[in-house]
Amino acid sequence: MSYELAIEPLGLTIEIEEGQTILDAALRAGIYLPHACCHGLCATCKIQVVDGEIEHGEASSFALMDFEREEKKCLACCATAESDLVIEAEIDEDPDAENLPVRDFAGTVSRIETLTPTIKGVWIKLDGAGMHFQAGQYINLQLPDGIGSRAFSVASAPADGSEIELNIRIVPGGRGTAYVHEQLRVGERVSITGPYGRFFVRKSARTPVIFMGGGSGLSSPRSMILDLLAEGCELPITLIYGQRNRDELYYHDEFLAMARQHANFSYVPALSHEPEDSDWQGFRGFVHDAAKAHFDNDFRGHKAYLCGPPLMIDSCISTLMQGRLFERDIYTEKFISAADAQQVRSPLFKAI
């Protein structure tokens, strides 16, 4: 059974299947609804039901209080339809967003490489024509043995979506990343869903860009930089990337070569815990400190894209704001688990 789902103020009506969440139905129709944790905990996807009946699903009583339920509000990530629906959501249209519909894809693991002691590179050759995605987006990888799906940024450029690259850091105690690092094999058949996310370069702004990344948070910036350079972008592009030590600094040689080849691309690697007696000649410290030094604490006239651990992102936001770059020009990507979903928003920034 299916129902009609009318989305205001867009004035669009789509089909929603019985048992399908409102968020999934919208994303598969190419309609972006704000969301973050997808666990019913963060309240980012809160919407108003104007008409119709819904089942709230596993919405947290903290994210969706009793009086809000009485006011016919719901969380799109876990609410399902029990009749035709009319909903109202706050939807910001962006001229640079491609609004691609989410789809299911099957593919084969074509290559696995150890990029660092804690990060694996996984390449998936997709069946058919592959996946069209916007640089900076992510996919959900379906894992066996009851593990479920896990979200990973696409590290490759979108020019050829027939094979995508994922950079996957092992998380201590994490079943999903442990499976990838210890059991996943070349030739294995896998399923993915995507593309997801609103992390993309605002190309129409025509302003210099700063990418700040840490850990496996290099994935999205790498895809975005490869895409910009392939398109012939001549605006200044700066990548500031941090790791703990040299062994964890991956794609270092690739970025050095890109900086030599493209006069508008600058690469600033930073190591926070490199042994003092090593031969490392680059910056020693954290990403935000490297950015402050490189730009002499003046970030005006740029757009900044941040991807990495929450603490790194918060430190970078603080540094950028001190250097006179503010909310309208800062974009972040955080993957939110059920464990930390209630801390999805930076205390420094209402829109992030």
Side-chain angles (χ1 to χ4, degrees):
M1 179 181 292
S2 64
Y3 302 104
E4 287 190 344
L5 171 63
I7 303 174
E8 300 295 347
L10 297 180
L12 297 175
T13 299
I14 62 174
E15 191 173 275
I16 181 170
E17 299 293 331
E18 185 176 14
Q20 182 181 27
T21 67
I22 293 172
L23 178 62
D24 186 65
L27 294 178
R28 288 181 180 272
I31 300 170
Y32 178 80
L33 296 182
H35 62 281
C37 77
C38 295
H39 296 293
L41 296 173
C42 74
T44 303
C45 65
K46 190 177 296 180
I47 57 175
Q48 179 72 50
V49 178
V50 178
D51 189 40
E53 300 299 323
I54 57 99
E55 165 58 45
H56 285 288
E58 297 182 359
S60 161
S61 58
F62 294 99
L64 188 70
M65 298 184 180
D66 289 342
F67 76 89
E68 293 177 306
R69 297 172 193 242
E70 292 173 3
E71 293 173 351
K72 301 201 73 173
K73 290 182 171 65
C74 71
L75 302 184
C77 74
C78 47
T80 56
E82 294 190 328
S83 70
D84 292 342
L85 292 178
V86 179
I87 65 167
E88 192 172 73
E90 294 184 14
I91 301 173
D92 295 326
E93 295 193 48
D94 192 304
D96 292 297
E98 293 189 30
N99 295 321
L100 302 169
V102 168
R103 297 169 51 204
D104 299 316
F105 299 88
T108 303
V109 177
S110 54
R111 180 160 47 120
I112 300 176
E113 288 188 11
T114 299
L115 299 177
T116 81
T118 62
I119 299 173
K120 294 277 190 184
V122 177
W123 283 258
I124 301 172
K125 183 72 174 177
L126 299 176
D127 297 350
M131 179 179 70
H132 177 51
F133 65 96
Q134 199 164 3
Q137 291 192 291
Y138 68 94
I139 58 91
N140 281 335
L141 173 65
Q142 188 67 36
L143 298 171
D145 303 330
I147 296 173
S149 64
R150 298 292 186 271
F152 300 110
S153 292
V154 181
S156 47
D160 180 11
S162 64
E163 184 178 54
I164 61 169
E165 176 188 349
L166 311 175
N167 300 158
I168 300 175
R169 182 179 68 88
I170 191 165
V171 177
R175 291 182 64 202
T177 58
Y179 179 87
V180 171
H181 276 248
E182 298 167 8
Q183 295 178 255
L184 189 67
R185 296 290 182 265
V186 171
E188 187 169 332
R189 294 287 291 171
V190 294
S191 298
I192 69 167
T193 305
Y196 292 99
R198 297 280 277 190
F199 192 53
F200 53 85
V201 177
R202 273 63 180 180
K203 296 177 182 178
S204 63
R206 299 292 300 165
T207 57
V209 293
I210 304 169
F211 295 99
M212 303 169 74
S216 58
L218 181 62
S219 302
S220 291
R222 180 173 181 262
S223 178
M224 297 156 101
I225 292 167
L226 291 172
D227 183 49
L228 287 171
L229 294 178
E231 290 183 347
C233 176
E234 296 180 350
L235 294 166
I237 302 168
T238 304
L239 169 64
I240 303 170
Y241 174 58
Q243 277 282 18
R244 291 180 59 84
N245 53 59
R246 181 65 184 86
D247 288 343
E248 292 290 341
L249 193 67
Y250 71 108
Y251 285 132
H252 178 63
D253 291 338
E254 176 186 81
F255 287 119
L256 289 175
M258 289 166 61
R260 290 191 294 269
Q261 183 180 356
H262 300 276
N264 63 318
F265 175 64
S266 300
Y267 169 52
V268 183
L271 301 181
S272 60
H273 293 76
E274 177 70 1
E276 291 294 334
D277 58 353
S278 76
D279 60 359
W280 175 249
Q281 299 298 309
F283 189 88
R284 291 176 180 266
F286 294 101
V287 171
H288 63 281
D289 295 321
K292 185 175 182 178
H294 184 78
F295 286 94
D296 196 24
N297 199 32
D298 187 351
F299 303 101
R300 289 175 294 178
H302 292 80
K303 285 193 178 292
Y305 300 87
L306 284 50
C307 191
L311 285 176
M312 184 218 84
I313 288 179
D314 286 345
S315 297
C316 288
I317 290 172
S318 179
T319 296
L320 290 168
M321 294 181 73
Q322 290 170 17
R324 302 181 69 180
L325 194 70
F326 301 109
E327 179 174 358
R328 67 181 179 274
D329 294 316
I330 302 175
Y331 307 90
T332 73
E333 177 73 312
K334 292 181 184 179
F335 291 143
I336 308 300
S337 68
D340 57 15
Q342 306 215 36
Q343 299 177 4
V344 63
R345 296 188 182 277
S346 166
L348 301 170
F349 227 159
K350 67 181 179 61
I352 291 180

